[in-house]
């Protein structure tokens, strides 16, 4: 019988394939792909506190048509729905990161440590890379969106800063300062 790590790799590959095939037929955004990778066993959802239920549910409902993995039924599968909300919380953490919220804000909002944040970012980068590879295997069209999102996750920036952070020594803070002063491209 396969080892547990082999099983999770198979689950992840199948989940990515299902989500990426769905992406071909819906209008996607960053939250679409972030929710997809947050559902993979490698990244594990953040701990869900009582105060997290409402904002996570609200975001899930607002983005329902964009989500690549639909929410399970809250009534017939409450434990799976809670797991889904924990995954949404993880996706929202990553969205806050790419929306350039400060680390202190993110650490406090999600009650995590700096190492946990770095771990989620690194795992997200790796899982987005895996998404690109799975997408290439099946010749899917939206790989450009995922490539750009991967860079955004890596640097923690909005899309308009991607060109600036490609310069050596320019991170998210310097890129934002340059952009604010009128340096919008190379």
């Amino acid at each position: 019988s396969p080892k547990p790590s082999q099983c999770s790799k198979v689950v992840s590959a199948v989940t990515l394939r299902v989500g990426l095939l769905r992406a071909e037929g819906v209008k996607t955004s960053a939250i679409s792909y972030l929710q997809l990778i947050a559902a993979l066993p490698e990244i594990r959802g953040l701990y869900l506190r009582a105060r997290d239920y409402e904002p996570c549910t609200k975001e899930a409902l607002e983005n329902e048509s964009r989500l690549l993995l639909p929410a399970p039924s809250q009534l017939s599968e409450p434990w799976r729905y809670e797991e889904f909300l924990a995954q949404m919380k993880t996706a929202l953490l990553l969205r806050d990161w790419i929306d350039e919220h400060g680390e202190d804000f993110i650490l406090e909002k999600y009650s995590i440590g700096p190492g946990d944040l770095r771990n989620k970012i690194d795992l997200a980068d790796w899982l987005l890379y895996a998404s690109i590879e799975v997408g290439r295997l099946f010749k899917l069209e939206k790989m450009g969106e995922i490539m750009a999102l991967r860079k955004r996750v890596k640097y923690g920036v909005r899309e308009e800063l991607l060109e600036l952070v490609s310069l050596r020594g320019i991170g998210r803070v310097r890129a934002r300062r340059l952009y604010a002063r009128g340096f919008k491209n190379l």
Side-chain angles (χ1 to χ4, degrees):
S1 77
K3 297 177 184 172
S5 63
Q6 290 173 325
C7 289
S8 71
K9 289 176 186 175
V10 172
V11 168
S12 294
V14 170
T15 303
L16 284 175
R17 181 178 178 268
V18 167
L20 293 173
L21 286 172
R22 180 170 158 83
E24 295 294 305
V26 298
K27 183 176 164 87
T28 56
S29 65
I31 199 71
S32 306
Y33 300 109
L34 295 176
Q35 182 254 347
L36 175 62
I37 64 167
L40 301 177
E42 290 84 356
I43 201 163
R44 280 189 260 145
L46 290 171
Y47 178 75
L48 203 60
R49 298 171 306 212
R51 69 178 188 206
D52 296 326
Y53 283 84
E54 185 180 333
C56 291
T57 301
K58 180 180 178 244
E59 286 289 339
L61 290 173
E62 286 176 4
N63 293 292
E64 187 175 14
S65 65
R66 290 186 186 99
L67 297 181
L68 301 179
L69 300 174
S73 169
Q74 188 175 2
L75 298 175
S76 64
E77 300 176 293
W79 63 272
R80 286 195 62 224
Y81 186 75
E82 191 168 311
E83 186 178 279
F84 167 78
L85 291 179
Q87 295 163 0
M88 276 304 297
K89 183 179 177 183
T90 304
L92 296 174
L93 172 137
L94 294 168
R95 188 180 68 184
D96 281 350
W97 172 250
I98 65 173
D99 282 346
E100 299 179 33
H101 289 284
E103 278 189 42
D104 291 338
F105 171 83
I106 294 172
L107 298 178
E108 185 176 320
K109 180 177 178 181
Y110 295 95
S111 298
I112 61 171
D116 294 329
L117 176 60
R118 176 53 36 203
N119 183 41
K120 294 292 184 206
I121 292 166
D122 289 345
L123 281 169
D125 176 49
W126 179 69
L127 292 170
L128 287 168
Y129 168 76
S131 300
I132 293 165
E133 293 303 312
V134 169
R136 283 184 180 156
L137 280 174
F138 294 100
K139 297 178 175 50
L140 302 178
E141 295 179 17
K142 293 193 174 185
M143 294 305 97
E145 289 179 10
I146 301 174
M147 287 179 195
L149 180 61
R150 182 175 179 220
K151 283 185 183 178
R152 289 182 65 197
V153 167
K154 180 178 181 178
Y155 294 106
V157 296
R158 294 175 192 241
E159 203 162 347
E160 68 258 21
L161 297 185
L162 285 177
E163 195 172 351
L164 293 175
V165 295
S166 70
L167 293 170
R168 188 170 171 225
I170 303 295
R172 65 188 270 171
V173 174
R174 279 190 180 154
R176 180 51 62 197
R177 286 182 184 154
L178 287 168
Y179 192 87
R181 293 204 169 108
F183 297 95
K184 300 189 190 268
N185 57 42
L186 298 179

